Amino acid sequence: MSDCLFCKIAAGEIPSATIYEDEEFRVFLDLGPATKGHALIVPKTHAANLYELPDEVVAKAFILAKKMITAMTKVLGCDGYNIVQNNGEAAGQTVHHFHIHLIPRYEGDNAGILWTPGTLSDEDKEDILAKVQGVF
Ligand code: 5GP
Ligand code: ZN
């Protein structure tokens, strides 16, 4: 994808604060961090989102996420991590090249990336359970 921002960053054509790189992925600091140390895992091959990402890359990406948060928890001294992965504009995706957000959490940081829980209604529960019958 010649006009894709994350293709260019992943290829090193646009500079980034890279904290890890291998043949298939680049991990770099987010320019608009939710907290100190917020980073993005980006595959070097283009896929718009998780729907389009080949299974073998999905597997490697999440294994890399585990490796990164394990190391970065020690480096940053954070208290936890959120892994966030947005698919589609309705879900908050703004860059349409698959990426995983690694967001370190610090006690009391009030990063505000969690949701206010609703209530599972009987209507929604029955509707969804009926719709998934035979799908999986
Ligand atoms: P999304 O909203 O698509 O899940 O996340 C896109 C993320 O990319 C945002 O958190 C945004 O701050 C980050 N971002 C956008 N442009 C750049 C850039 O040029 N460099 C870096 N390092 N991060 C970017
Ligand atoms: Zn791309």
PDB file of all heavy atoms in Angstrom, residues 5-6 9 14-17 28-33 38 40 84-86 91-97 99 101, ligand 1:
ATOM      1  N   LEU A   5       0.263   5.029   5.891  1.00  0.00           N
ATOM      2  CA  LEU A   5       1.201   5.584   6.884  1.00  0.00           C
ATOM      3  C   LEU A   5       1.968   4.488   7.615  1.00  0.00           C
ATOM      4  O   LEU A   5       3.200   4.566   7.762  1.00  0.00           O
ATOM      5  CB  LEU A   5       0.407   6.434   7.893  1.00  0.00           C
ATOM      6  CG  LEU A   5       1.175   6.952   9.112  1.00  0.00           C
ATOM      7  CD1 LEU A   5       2.269   7.922   8.695  1.00  0.00           C
ATOM      8  CD2 LEU A   5       0.217   7.605  10.115  1.00  0.00           C
ATOM      9  N   PHE A   6       1.265   3.451   8.087  1.00  0.00           N
ATOM     10  CA  PHE A   6       1.956   2.431   8.887  1.00  0.00           C
ATOM     11  C   PHE A   6       2.812   1.511   8.021  1.00  0.00           C
ATOM     12  O   PHE A   6       3.789   0.956   8.513  1.00  0.00           O
ATOM     13  CB  PHE A   6       0.963   1.650   9.745  1.00  0.00           C
ATOM     14  CG  PHE A   6       0.554   2.382  11.012  1.00  0.00           C
ATOM     15  CD1 PHE A   6       0.978   3.681  11.272  1.00  0.00           C
ATOM     16  CD2 PHE A   6      -0.254   1.764  11.966  1.00  0.00           C
ATOM     17  CE1 PHE A   6       0.603   4.362  12.432  1.00  0.00           C
ATOM     18  CE2 PHE A   6      -0.626   2.426  13.140  1.00  0.00           C
ATOM     19  CZ  PHE A   6      -0.203   3.729  13.364  1.00  0.00           C
ATOM     20  N   ILE A   9       5.965   3.607   7.998  1.00  0.00           N
ATOM     21  CA  ILE A   9       6.666   3.555   9.293  1.00  0.00           C
ATOM     22  C   ILE A   9       7.284   2.171   9.479  1.00  0.00           C
ATOM     23  O   ILE A   9       8.448   2.048   9.868  1.00  0.00           O
ATOM     24  CB  ILE A   9       5.706   3.903  10.451  1.00  0.00           C
ATOM     25  CG1 ILE A   9       5.307   5.383  10.387  1.00  0.00           C
ATOM     26  CG2 ILE A   9       6.366   3.584  11.804  1.00  0.00           C
ATOM     27  CD1 ILE A   9       4.299   5.815  11.442  1.00  0.00           C
ATOM     28  N   ILE A  14       9.386   6.312   7.113  1.00  0.00           N
ATOM     29  CA  ILE A  14       9.047   7.429   8.008  1.00  0.00           C
ATOM     30  C   ILE A  14       9.619   7.062   9.372  1.00  0.00           C
ATOM     31  O   ILE A  14       9.413   5.939   9.843  1.00  0.00           O
ATOM     32  CB  ILE A  14       7.521   7.637   8.102  1.00  0.00           C
ATOM     33  CG1 ILE A  14       6.976   8.136   6.760  1.00  0.00           C
ATOM     34  CG2 ILE A  14       7.168   8.604   9.221  1.00  0.00           C
ATOM     35  CD1 ILE A  14       5.462   8.290   6.723  1.00  0.00           C
ATOM     36  N   PRO A  15      10.383   7.980   9.989  1.00  0.00           N
ATOM     37  CA  PRO A  15      11.019   7.650  11.269  1.00  0.00           C
ATOM     38  C   PRO A  15      10.008   7.403  12.383  1.00  0.00           C
ATOM     39  O   PRO A  15       8.922   8.001  12.395  1.00  0.00           O
ATOM     40  CB  PRO A  15      11.861   8.894  11.592  1.00  0.00           C
ATOM     41  CG  PRO A  15      11.792   9.782  10.414  1.00  0.00           C
ATOM     42  CD  PRO A  15      10.677   9.337   9.533  1.00  0.00           C
ATOM     43  N   SER A  16      10.373   6.534  13.297  1.00  0.00           N
ATOM     44  CA  SER A  16       9.532   6.274  14.465  1.00  0.00           C
ATOM     45  C   SER A  16      10.438   5.954  15.640  1.00  0.00           C
ATOM     46  O   SER A  16      11.587   5.553  15.457  1.00  0.00           O
ATOM     47  CB  SER A  16       8.588   5.092  14.204  1.00  0.00           C
ATOM     48  OG  SER A  16       9.328   3.904  14.002  1.00  0.00           O
ATOM     49  N   ALA A  17       9.899   6.107  16.839  1.00  0.00           N
ATOM     50  CA  ALA A  17      10.639   5.740  18.059  1.00  0.00           C
ATOM     51  C   ALA A  17      10.463   4.240  18.250  1.00  0.00           C
ATOM     52  O   ALA A  17       9.549   3.779  18.939  1.00  0.00           O
ATOM     53  CB  ALA A  17      10.108   6.523  19.245  1.00  0.00           C
ATOM     54  N   PHE A  28       6.653   0.493  17.908  1.00  0.00           N
ATOM     55  CA  PHE A  28       7.120   1.873  18.110  1.00  0.00           C
ATOM     56  C   PHE A  28       6.151   2.643  19.002  1.00  0.00           C
ATOM     57  O   PHE A  28       4.984   2.268  19.150  1.00  0.00           O
ATOM     58  CB  PHE A  28       7.312   2.589  16.760  1.00  0.00           C
ATOM     59  CG  PHE A  28       6.113   2.559  15.858  1.00  0.00           C
ATOM     60  CD1 PHE A  28       5.151   3.570  15.913  1.00  0.00           C
ATOM     61  CD2 PHE A  28       5.931   1.527  14.945  1.00  0.00           C
ATOM     62  CE1 PHE A  28       4.042   3.548  15.074  1.00  0.00           C
ATOM     63  CE2 PHE A  28       4.813   1.490  14.107  1.00  0.00           C
ATOM     64  CZ  PHE A  28       3.875   2.503  14.177  1.00  0.00           C
ATOM     65  N   LEU A  29       6.669   3.732  19.574  1.00  0.00           N
ATOM     66  CA  LEU A  29       5.861   4.524  20.506  1.00  0.00           C
ATOM     67  C   LEU A  29       4.789   5.295  19.755  1.00  0.00           C
ATOM     68  O   LEU A  29       5.035   5.885  18.693  1.00  0.00           O
ATOM     69  CB  LEU A  29       6.753   5.492  21.288  1.00  0.00           C
ATOM     70  CG  LEU A  29       7.807   4.837  22.196  1.00  0.00           C
ATOM     71  CD1 LEU A  29       8.618   5.923  22.917  1.00  0.00           C
ATOM     72  CD2 LEU A  29       7.160   3.893  23.211  1.00  0.00           C
ATOM     73  N   ASP A  30       3.585   5.280  20.333  1.00  0.00           N
ATOM     74  CA  ASP A  30       2.448   6.019  19.778  1.00  0.00           C
ATOM     75  C   ASP A  30       2.685   7.517  19.981  1.00  0.00           C
ATOM     76  O   ASP A  30       3.113   7.949  21.057  1.00  0.00           O
ATOM     77  CB  ASP A  30       1.162   5.571  20.496  1.00  0.00           C
ATOM     78  CG  ASP A  30      -0.096   6.002  19.783  1.00  0.00           C
ATOM     79  OD1 ASP A  30      -0.297   7.230  19.610  1.00  0.00           O
ATOM     80  OD2 ASP A  30      -0.886   5.146  19.406  1.00  0.00           O
ATOM     81  N   LEU A  31       2.407   8.311  18.930  1.00  0.00           N
ATOM     82  CA  LEU A  31       2.606   9.774  19.019  1.00  0.00           C
ATOM     83  C   LEU A  31       1.548  10.454  19.889  1.00  0.00           C
ATOM     84  O   LEU A  31       1.740  11.595  20.288  1.00  0.00           O
ATOM     85  CB  LEU A  31       2.580  10.401  17.622  1.00  0.00           C
ATOM     86  CG  LEU A  31       3.856  10.319  16.788  1.00  0.00           C
ATOM     87  CD1 LEU A  31       3.678  11.113  15.486  1.00  0.00           C
ATOM     88  CD2 LEU A  31       5.057  10.848  17.558  1.00  0.00           C
ATOM     89  N   GLY A  32       0.447   9.765  20.144  1.00  0.00           N
ATOM     90  CA  GLY A  32      -0.608  10.316  21.004  1.00  0.00           C
ATOM     91  C   GLY A  32      -0.888   9.358  22.139  1.00  0.00           C
ATOM     92  O   GLY A  32      -1.977   8.774  22.215  1.00  0.00           O
ATOM     93  N   PRO A  33       0.073   9.167  23.024  1.00  0.00           N
ATOM     94  CA  PRO A  33      -0.039   8.080  24.012  1.00  0.00           C
ATOM     95  C   PRO A  33      -1.152   8.273  25.031  1.00  0.00           C
ATOM     96  O   PRO A  33      -1.394   9.383  25.502  1.00  0.00           O
ATOM     97  CB  PRO A  33       1.333   8.099  24.697  1.00  0.00           C
ATOM     98  CG  PRO A  33       1.842   9.492  24.516  1.00  0.00           C
ATOM     99  CD  PRO A  33       1.320   9.952  23.181  1.00  0.00           C
ATOM    100  N   HIS A  38       3.009   3.944  25.843  1.00  0.00           N
ATOM    101  CA  HIS A  38       2.016   3.416  24.879  1.00  0.00           C
ATOM    102  C   HIS A  38       2.722   3.151  23.541  1.00  0.00           C
ATOM    103  O   HIS A  38       3.323   4.041  22.949  1.00  0.00           O
ATOM    104  CB  HIS A  38       0.913   4.464  24.718  1.00  0.00           C
ATOM    105  CG  HIS A  38      -0.207   4.098  23.788  1.00  0.00           C
ATOM    106  ND1 HIS A  38      -1.368   4.830  23.748  1.00  0.00           N
ATOM    107  CD2 HIS A  38      -0.363   3.110  22.873  1.00  0.00           C
ATOM    108  CE1 HIS A  38      -2.199   4.322  22.841  1.00  0.00           C
ATOM    109  NE2 HIS A  38      -1.591   3.276  22.283  1.00  0.00           N
ATOM    110  N   LEU A  40       2.798   0.604  19.695  1.00  0.00           N
ATOM    111  CA  LEU A  40       1.988  -0.083  18.685  1.00  0.00           C
ATOM    112  C   LEU A  40       2.798  -1.202  18.060  1.00  0.00           C
ATOM    113  O   LEU A  40       3.946  -0.997  17.664  1.00  0.00           O
ATOM    114  CB  LEU A  40       1.584   0.904  17.577  1.00  0.00           C
ATOM    115  CG  LEU A  40       0.808   2.147  18.024  1.00  0.00           C
ATOM    116  CD1 LEU A  40       0.705   3.140  16.862  1.00  0.00           C
ATOM    117  CD2 LEU A  40      -0.580   1.778  18.530  1.00  0.00           C
ATOM    118  N   VAL A  84      -5.202  -3.256  23.283  1.00  0.00           N
ATOM    119  CA  VAL A  84      -6.376  -2.729  22.581  1.00  0.00           C
ATOM    120  C   VAL A  84      -6.152  -2.901  21.082  1.00  0.00           C
ATOM    121  O   VAL A  84      -5.046  -2.684  20.580  1.00  0.00           O
ATOM    122  CB  VAL A  84      -6.589  -1.232  22.920  1.00  0.00           C
ATOM    123  CG1 VAL A  84      -7.748  -0.647  22.122  1.00  0.00           C
ATOM    124  CG2 VAL A  84      -6.814  -1.043  24.411  1.00  0.00           C
ATOM    125  N   GLN A  85      -7.202  -3.301  20.390  1.00  0.00           N
ATOM    126  CA  GLN A  85      -7.054  -3.550  18.955  1.00  0.00           C
ATOM    127  C   GLN A  85      -8.361  -3.169  18.283  1.00  0.00           C
ATOM    128  O   GLN A  85      -9.375  -3.844  18.441  1.00  0.00           O
ATOM    129  CB  GLN A  85      -6.681  -5.033  18.738  1.00  0.00           C
ATOM    130  CG  GLN A  85      -6.002  -5.335  17.413  1.00  0.00           C
ATOM    131  CD  GLN A  85      -7.018  -5.402  16.296  1.00  0.00           C
ATOM    132  OE1 GLN A  85      -7.960  -6.188  16.367  1.00  0.00           O
ATOM    133  NE2 GLN A  85      -6.857  -4.564  15.281  1.00  0.00           N
ATOM    134  N   ASN A  86      -8.369  -2.063  17.554  1.00  0.00           N
ATOM    135  CA  ASN A  86      -9.585  -1.513  16.969  1.00  0.00           C
ATOM    136  C   ASN A  86      -9.756  -1.948  15.516  1.00  0.00           C
ATOM    137  O   ASN A  86      -8.789  -1.912  14.739  1.00  0.00           O
ATOM    138  CB  ASN A  86      -9.534   0.019  17.020  1.00  0.00           C
ATOM    139  CG  ASN A  86      -9.402   0.550  18.445  1.00  0.00           C
ATOM    140  OD1 ASN A  86      -9.931  -0.044  19.380  1.00  0.00           O
ATOM    141  ND2 ASN A  86      -8.694   1.651  18.617  1.00  0.00           N
ATOM    142  N   ALA A  91     -15.359   1.370  15.646  1.00  0.00           N
ATOM    143  CA  ALA A  91     -14.622   0.862  16.813  1.00  0.00           C
ATOM    144  C   ALA A  91     -13.445   1.764  17.180  1.00  0.00           C
ATOM    145  O   ALA A  91     -12.644   1.410  18.053  1.00  0.00           O
ATOM    146  CB  ALA A  91     -14.134  -0.556  16.525  1.00  0.00           C
ATOM    147  N   GLY A  92     -13.330   2.894  16.498  1.00  0.00           N
ATOM    148  CA  GLY A  92     -12.271   3.840  16.842  1.00  0.00           C
ATOM    149  C   GLY A  92     -11.011   3.711  16.013  1.00  0.00           C
ATOM    150  O   GLY A  92     -10.013   4.383  16.303  1.00  0.00           O
ATOM    151  N   GLN A  93     -11.040   2.867  14.976  1.00  0.00           N
ATOM    152  CA  GLN A  93      -9.833   2.711  14.159  1.00  0.00           C
ATOM    153  C   GLN A  93      -9.661   3.945  13.273  1.00  0.00           C
ATOM    154  O   GLN A  93     -10.585   4.334  12.551  1.00  0.00           O
ATOM    155  CB  GLN A  93      -9.913   1.449  13.288  1.00  0.00           C
ATOM    156  CG  GLN A  93      -8.610   1.182  12.531  1.00  0.00           C
ATOM    157  CD  GLN A  93      -8.631  -0.130  11.738  1.00  0.00           C
ATOM    158  OE1 GLN A  93      -9.680  -0.746  11.549  1.00  0.00           O
ATOM    159  NE2 GLN A  93      -7.469  -0.529  11.269  1.00  0.00           N
ATOM    160  N   THR A  94      -8.485   4.550  13.351  1.00  0.00           N
ATOM    161  CA  THR A  94      -8.195   5.737  12.537  1.00  0.00           C
ATOM    162  C   THR A  94      -7.115   5.469  11.499  1.00  0.00           C
ATOM    163  O   THR A  94      -7.048   6.173  10.494  1.00  0.00           O
ATOM    164  CB  THR A  94      -7.758   6.925  13.421  1.00  0.00           C
ATOM    165  OG1 THR A  94      -6.603   6.549  14.171  1.00  0.00           O
ATOM    166  CG2 THR A  94      -8.865   7.349  14.365  1.00  0.00           C
ATOM    167  N   VAL A  95      -6.250   4.494  11.759  1.00  0.00           N
ATOM    168  CA  VAL A  95      -5.218   4.114  10.791  1.00  0.00           C
ATOM    169  C   VAL A  95      -5.557   2.709  10.303  1.00  0.00           C
ATOM    170  O   VAL A  95      -5.594   1.761  11.102  1.00  0.00           O
ATOM    171  CB  VAL A  95      -3.806   4.145  11.420  1.00  0.00           C
ATOM    172  CG1 VAL A  95      -2.764   3.697  10.398  1.00  0.00           C
ATOM    173  CG2 VAL A  95      -3.474   5.544  11.943  1.00  0.00           C
ATOM    174  N   HIS A  96      -5.811   2.596   9.008  1.00  0.00           N
ATOM    175  CA  HIS A  96      -6.342   1.330   8.490  1.00  0.00           C
ATOM    176  C   HIS A  96      -5.239   0.398   7.996  1.00  0.00           C
ATOM    177  O   HIS A  96      -5.230  -0.038   6.848  1.00  0.00           O
ATOM    178  CB  HIS A  96      -7.430   1.633   7.448  1.00  0.00           C
ATOM    179  CG  HIS A  96      -8.597   2.338   8.080  1.00  0.00           C
ATOM    180  ND1 HIS A  96      -9.593   1.677   8.778  1.00  0.00           N
ATOM    181  CD2 HIS A  96      -8.860   3.654   8.218  1.00  0.00           C
ATOM    182  CE1 HIS A  96     -10.451   2.557   9.274  1.00  0.00           C
ATOM    183  NE2 HIS A  96     -10.026   3.762   8.951  1.00  0.00           N
ATOM    184  N   HIS A  97      -4.342   0.136   8.914  1.00  0.00           N
ATOM    185  CA  HIS A  97      -3.297  -0.888   8.790  1.00  0.00           C
ATOM    186  C   HIS A  97      -3.289  -1.547  10.159  1.00  0.00           C
ATOM    187  O   HIS A  97      -3.057  -0.855  11.183  1.00  0.00           O
ATOM    188  CB  HIS A  97      -1.954  -0.234   8.437  1.00  0.00           C
ATOM    189  CG  HIS A  97      -0.778  -1.161   8.369  1.00  0.00           C
ATOM    190  ND1 HIS A  97       0.093  -1.192   7.289  1.00  0.00           N
ATOM    191  CD2 HIS A  97      -0.297  -2.067   9.251  1.00  0.00           C
ATOM    192  CE1 HIS A  97       1.050  -2.096   7.503  1.00  0.00           C
ATOM    193  NE2 HIS A  97       0.832  -2.635   8.702  1.00  0.00           N
ATOM    194  N   HIS A  99      -2.974  -2.931  13.713  1.00  0.00           N
ATOM    195  CA  HIS A  99      -2.006  -2.655  14.783  1.00  0.00           C
ATOM    196  C   HIS A  99      -2.606  -3.048  16.123  1.00  0.00           C
ATOM    197  O   HIS A  99      -3.829  -3.045  16.290  1.00  0.00           O
ATOM    198  CB  HIS A  99      -1.571  -1.184  14.789  1.00  0.00           C
ATOM    199  CG  HIS A  99      -2.720  -0.224  14.799  1.00  0.00           C
ATOM    200  ND1 HIS A  99      -3.416   0.121  13.656  1.00  0.00           N
ATOM    201  CD2 HIS A  99      -3.315   0.452  15.808  1.00  0.00           C
ATOM    202  CE1 HIS A  99      -4.370   0.976  13.961  1.00  0.00           C
ATOM    203  NE2 HIS A  99      -4.341   1.181  15.266  1.00  0.00           N
ATOM    204  N   HIS A 101      -2.450  -1.978  20.098  1.00  0.00           N
ATOM    205  CA  HIS A 101      -2.013  -1.005  21.100  1.00  0.00           C
ATOM    206  C   HIS A 101      -1.551  -1.744  22.350  1.00  0.00           C
ATOM    207  O   HIS A 101      -2.278  -2.609  22.871  1.00  0.00           O
ATOM    208  CB  HIS A 101      -3.178  -0.103  21.529  1.00  0.00           C
ATOM    209  CG  HIS A 101      -3.707   0.795  20.463  1.00  0.00           C
ATOM    210  ND1 HIS A 101      -3.309   2.106  20.340  1.00  0.00           N
ATOM    211  CD2 HIS A 101      -4.614   0.592  19.472  1.00  0.00           C
ATOM    212  CE1 HIS A 101      -3.952   2.672  19.320  1.00  0.00           C
ATOM    213  NE2 HIS A 101      -4.762   1.762  18.782  1.00  0.00           N
TER     214      HIS A 101
HETATM  215  P1  5GP B   1      -6.314   3.523  16.000  1.00  0.00           P
HETATM  216  O1  5GP B   1      -7.186   4.684  16.430  1.00  0.00           O
HETATM  217  O2  5GP B   1      -6.330   3.356  14.498  1.00  0.00           O
HETATM  218  O3  5GP B   1      -6.574   2.249  16.721  1.00  0.00           O
HETATM  219  O4  5GP B   1      -4.843   3.933  16.434  1.00  0.00           O
HETATM  220  C1  5GP B   1      -3.991   4.701  15.651  1.00  0.00           C
HETATM  221  C2  5GP B   1      -2.909   5.204  16.574  1.00  0.00           C
HETATM  222  O5  5GP B   1      -1.818   5.637  15.774  1.00  0.00           O
HETATM  223  C3  5GP B   1      -3.311   6.378  17.453  1.00  0.00           C
HETATM  224  O6  5GP B   1      -3.138   6.026  18.817  1.00  0.00           O
HETATM  225  C4  5GP B   1      -2.383   7.508  17.018  1.00  0.00           C
HETATM  226  O7  5GP B   1      -1.956   8.296  18.101  1.00  0.00           O
HETATM  227  C5  5GP B   1      -1.242   6.752  16.379  1.00  0.00           C
HETATM  228  N1  5GP B   1      -0.563   7.462  15.300  1.00  0.00           N
HETATM  229  C6  5GP B   1      -1.168   8.093  14.256  1.00  0.00           C
HETATM  230  N2  5GP B   1      -0.232   8.594  13.417  1.00  0.00           N
HETATM  231  C7  5GP B   1       0.972   8.261  13.946  1.00  0.00           C
HETATM  232  C8  5GP B   1       2.317   8.490  13.515  1.00  0.00           C
HETATM  233  O8  5GP B   1       2.594   9.108  12.478  1.00  0.00           O
HETATM  234  N3  5GP B   1       3.308   7.993  14.301  1.00  0.00           N
HETATM  235  C9  5GP B   1       3.039   7.308  15.456  1.00  0.00           C
HETATM  236  N4  5GP B   1       4.096   6.857  16.155  1.00  0.00           N
HETATM  237  N5  5GP B   1       1.785   7.070  15.884  1.00  0.00           N
HETATM  238  C10 5GP B   1       0.759   7.551  15.139  1.00  0.00           C
END
